[in-house]
Structure formats: structure tokens, C-alpha cells
Amino acid sequence: MTSSELSALLVLATVSSFTPGPNTTLSTAMAANHGLRHAMRFVLAVPVGWGILFILCATGLGGLVVAFPPLRWGIVVLGNAYLLWLASRLWRSGSLQQTDSSKLQVGFVQGVGLQFLNIKAWMLALAIVAGWIAGRDDGAERTLLLLPIMVAYGFVSNLVYAVAGSMLRHWLAQGRRLLMFNRCMSIALLGTVLWILNGLRQSAA
């Protein structure tokens, strides 16, 4: 792989990993409501789940998703429905005590599984496979090279957002601050859903 190819990949990885999305929003919200230790299960699950997804796309599963629209839309519907459900839970959480008893509990296994319902994760994996792996004689070597890079990006980006959320935890515990914060996170998840649906609408046009 040339240095220019690697540089282009790093730019894509930085933009896609550190811009707000369902994973980073959930990492922030869980750390702010439950603390960094609780959020770490999800932070670790994101790169593991995405890494498995990336390997499956590199071995041909991604082509099936693209070629079979009902499967693609099934992923979209299930994933967005789950995000909307989480957004509704966040919207009603106004105190740390209330949040501790709420359903905002996304463990490691759920976090891994959520990557398969995250159409943004699918599109990133497919873009990397199409641009850097597919049709290359050294496709297997490229996959092994790119996998740890992208997994590291997934971990670091979610960790950064989770640390930011945990740093706000005590400040948010005062008054209605946590309610307002959770509602902002809820709106962010809703915005992600709308962004995903708009992107799919444009690609289908």
C-alpha cells in the first residue's frame, strides 16, 4: 500500500470516527449518566463489532447487502428503530437516580450487535473495502493491515467522547442540567436517524 493510499484512509478514518454518530453519542450519554467505567463496556464493544463487520465485508458479505435491497432496508429499519427507542429513554431521563433505573443499558454483547444495525458502520466498511481492498492482488494483506488501524480509531474516538461525558457527570447532576443534556443527546440520535435516511434517499434517487 502506498503512502498516498494510507494517508487517504487516515483522513477518512478520522472524519468518520470522530464526527458525531450513534456510537459516539451513546458513549457520551452513558458516561455522563453512569460514569466512565460503565461506558467502557460499550466503548470496547464498538471496535470489536465493527472489526467483525469489516472482516465480513472484506470476505464478500458486504456485496450481498448491497445487492439485496430488502436486507439493506431491514438493517436500516431495525437499527433506526433501536436508536429511536434509546432516544426516547434519554429524553425522559432527568436525574442520575432515574437514569440508573432506566433502560439505557447497552452492554458489551449489545454494543457488538448494534454495529450490525448501524448503517453508518456498514457504509464505512463497504467504502474501505471498495476503495482499498476489492480487486487487489494483496487484498488479504491489506485487510490485515487496515483492520487494526480502523479498530484503533473506533476505540479511541468512543473513548474520547466517553471521557468527555464522564467529566461532565458531576456538573450535570445539578438541577435540570442532566435532563437538558440527555435531551440534546436524544436529539442527536434523532438527527443521526434523519441523516441516515436522507443519505439513503439520495442514493436511491
Side-chain angles (χ1 to χ4, degrees), residues 139-160:
E141 291 79 1
R142 284 171 175 255
T143 299
L144 294 176
L145 172 65
L146 299 182
L147 177 61
I149 294 175
M150 296 306 301
V151 165
Y153 266 91
F155 171 72
V156 173
S157 61
N158 281 277
L159 178 61
V160 167

Side-chain angles (χ1 to χ4, degrees), residues 6 9 29 43 58 80 83 91 94-95 107 113-114 123 146 150 157 189:
L6 184 58
L9 174 75
V43 170
N80 285 339
L83 292 178
W91 184 267
S95 68
L114 182 58
M123 292 300 102
L146 299 182
M150 296 306 301
S157 61
L189 284 177

Side-chain angles (χ1 to χ4, degrees), residues 87-103:
S88 71
R89 303 300 303 187
L90 274 171
W91 184 267
R92 297 193 296 269
S93 299
S95 68
L96 293 177
Q97 292 76 20
Q98 179 181 347
T99 305
D100 286 339
S101 61
S102 75
K103 296 290 187 178

Side-chain angles (χ1 to χ4, degrees), residues 16-17 21-27 30 39-54 106-116 118 121 124 147 150-159:
S16 61
S17 298
N23 289 327
T24 52
T25 300
L26 287 174
S27 294
M30 282 190 285
M40 284 305 298
R41 292 181 296 178
F42 183 74
V43 170
L44 291 170
V46 170
V48 172
W50 192 88
I52 296 171
L53 176 64
F54 175 68
V106 183
F108 182 83
V109 175
Q110 288 174 297
V112 171
L114 182 58
Q115 304 316 302
F116 291 85
N118 183 352
L124 175 60
L147 177 61
M150 296 306 301
V151 165
Y153 266 91
F155 171 72
V156 173
S157 61
N158 281 277
L159 178 61

